[in-house]
Amino acid sequence: MSSRQSKFPLPNDGLIAALDIGGTKIAGALVDQDGVLIHRARRTTPARESADVLLGAVYDVLGSLAASPLWERVGAVGIGSAGPIDLAHGTVSPVNIPAWRNFPLAESVARHPDVGHRQVTLAGDAVAMTTAEHRHGAARGHRNALCLVVSTGVGAGLVLNGSVHHWLTGNAGHLGHISIDFDGEACPCGARGCLEAIASGTAITRHALALGWQAPLTADTAGVAASAQAGEAAAVDAFDRATRALAAGIAATAALIEIDIAVVGGGVAQAGEVFFEPLTRHLRHYAAMPFLKELRIVPAELGPDAGLVGAAVLASAGDSAVPVMLGHGSR
C-alpha cells in the first residue's frame, strides 16, 4: 500500500474504526491517516442465524477493536455492508443475510457502548470498495469508472465525473441485480436471471457441480478455480458462463454512461487468469460499439482490504454527501 499518496482529513493522529460486513465474513480494522490497517478483527458471518445473533457478531468485532489501546484515538466509525441499503434510514437488507430486512445497522452500531459519541457512517460494501479503489487503487485518476466486487454476491459502484456516485438510497451501480437472462432462475431478490445468480462465487460453484465437477476437497470457488487452471472442462465452463454474464453487464453499463475502466475485485477475482482471460475476451464481444473500444478491465489493487479502507475514507469525510448517524452521546 506504499503507493498511496493522500491522507484522510483526520485531526492529529486520529484513526477510523472500519467494518466490512458481507455474507461470509465480518471484518473490522483501525485505519490510520494513510489508509493502513493497523489493528484487525474478524468473525465468520452467521448468515442463517437471527438478526440478534448477527448483530452480536458485529458487536464482537467492534469489541475486539475497542479492546485495543489505540481505540481512544478513534474519531469515527465507517461501515461498508452488503446491500441493498437505505442511507436515509441507516438500514440494510442484504440479499445473502435473510434475517436482516430493513435492519437498523447504523443505529445499532451507534448504540454499542464503546462507540459513544463517535459518528457512524454507512455505505454499501461495493461503494466502499469503489471509494478505496478510486482514492488509492486501480481507479485512481479515472473520472468515470465501474468497480465490482465478485464474491458471495456481485456488487458494484460507480465513479462519475471524478466522484463516487451513491445516489439517493446508496445503491447506484448495483450491477448484481440487473437481469442478464430473462428466463433464468429465480434470484433471492425476487427477480429472474440476475447477474449475481449467474456470476457470483456461489453460482460458479453450483454450476460447476451441476456440470459434474468433482470437488477435490471442499466445494468452493477456489476449488473450481484450481480445477479450471488444470483444464478440467466443467470448471472451465463454469467460469466461462460467469464471465460471459459479467462482460455483458459491464458492457451494458459502459454503453449507458461511457465508463473508461472496469475494476474487478472480490474473492472470485483472486482466481487470476482463469477469470480475467475469459472476462476480457467476452467483453470484446459485448462492447461492440466504436466508442467502447478503449474500455479496459483490470484487477482491483487493494484486495480484501478495499471495503475497510473505503469505509474509513467515507467516515473520515464526516460531513460528506453520505448520511451520518450519530452515536448515542450526540443524538
Side-chain angles (χ1 to χ4, degrees):
M1 298 185 186
S2 59
S3 63
R4 299 177 189 172
Q5 302 297 320
S6 57
K7 293 188 175 184
F8 300 157
L10 298 176
N12 302 320
D13 61 349
L15 302 174
I16 295 292
L19 297 172
D20 182 13
I21 301 172
T24 58
K25 61 93 174 56
I26 299 167
L30 303 183
V31 186
D32 74 5
Q33 296 183 44
D34 294 311
V36 176
L37 280 58
I38 58 177
H39 179 68
R40 298 172 182 262
R42 182 183 174 111
R43 278 280 319 266
T44 299
T45 304
R48 299 298 167 183
E49 301 294 337
S50 69
D52 288 342
V53 170
L54 283 157
L55 182 60
V58 174
Y59 274 18
D60 284 349
V61 171
L62 266 173
S64 295
L65 297 180
S68 167
L70 299 171
W71 182 257
E72 63 184 27
R73 291 167 49 190
V74 170
V77 179
I79 309 168
S81 173
I85 68 171
D86 183 344
L87 286 183
H89 299 95
T91 61
V92 300
S93 302
V95 173
N96 294 318
I97 304 178
W100 277 1
R101 290 294 175 265
N102 298 313
F103 183 77
L105 181 59
E107 182 181 357
S108 298
V109 168
R111 286 201 305 264
H112 189 283
D114 289 312
V115 171
H117 65 281
R118 296 172 178 88
Q119 305 184 135
V120 177
T121 300
L122 174 66
D125 56 355
V127 170
M129 177 267 194
T130 300
T131 301
E133 290 291 335
H134 188 231
R135 175 72 68 88
H136 297 300
R140 185 172 55 248
H142 289 272
R143 291 190 57 79
N144 299 289
L146 173 68
C147 297
L148 298 95
V149 181
V150 185
S151 187
T152 308
V154 176
L158 293 168
V159 177
L160 301 176
N161 295 322
S163 299
V164 176
H165 184 76
H166 58 86
W167 204 232
L168 297 177
T169 67
N171 298 292
H174 208 327
L175 195 64
H177 293 284
I178 65 170
S179 183
I180 295 295
D181 180 0
F182 297 149
D183 298 316
E185 62 184 277
C187 176
C189 78
R192 283 195 168 273
C194 286
L195 178 61
E196 180 168 294
I198 301 172
S200 68
T202 306
I204 290 171
T205 303
R206 184 172 63 246
H207 190 65
L209 290 168
L211 293 175
W213 173 64
Q214 299 293 318
L217 293 174
T218 58
D220 57 18
T221 314
V224 181
S227 295
Q229 288 166 353
E232 185 173 336
V236 171
D237 287 350
F239 269 96
D240 187 75
R241 175 178 181 263
T243 55
R244 188 167 68 250
L246 278 171
I250 291 169
T253 303
L256 186 66
I257 57 176
E258 291 195 56
I259 58 169
D260 50 80
I261 193 169
V263 177
V264 187
V268 175
Q270 300 303 308
E273 279 303 296
V274 297
F275 174 79
F276 281 101
E277 187 281 325
L279 179 60
T280 301
R281 173 164 39 85
H282 287 307
L283 183 69
R284 297 276 63 85
H285 174 75
Y286 288 107
M289 296 294 287
F291 66 89
L292 300 178
K293 66 180 182 179
E294 300 299 324
L295 176 61
R296 295 186 299 124
I297 294 175
V298 300
E301 292 183 3
L302 303 186
D305 291 338
L308 291 166
V309 174
V313 172
L314 291 167
S316 72
D319 59 352
S320 71
V322 181
V324 175
M325 305 294 290
L326 299 180
H328 59 76
S330 300
R331 286 182 299 190

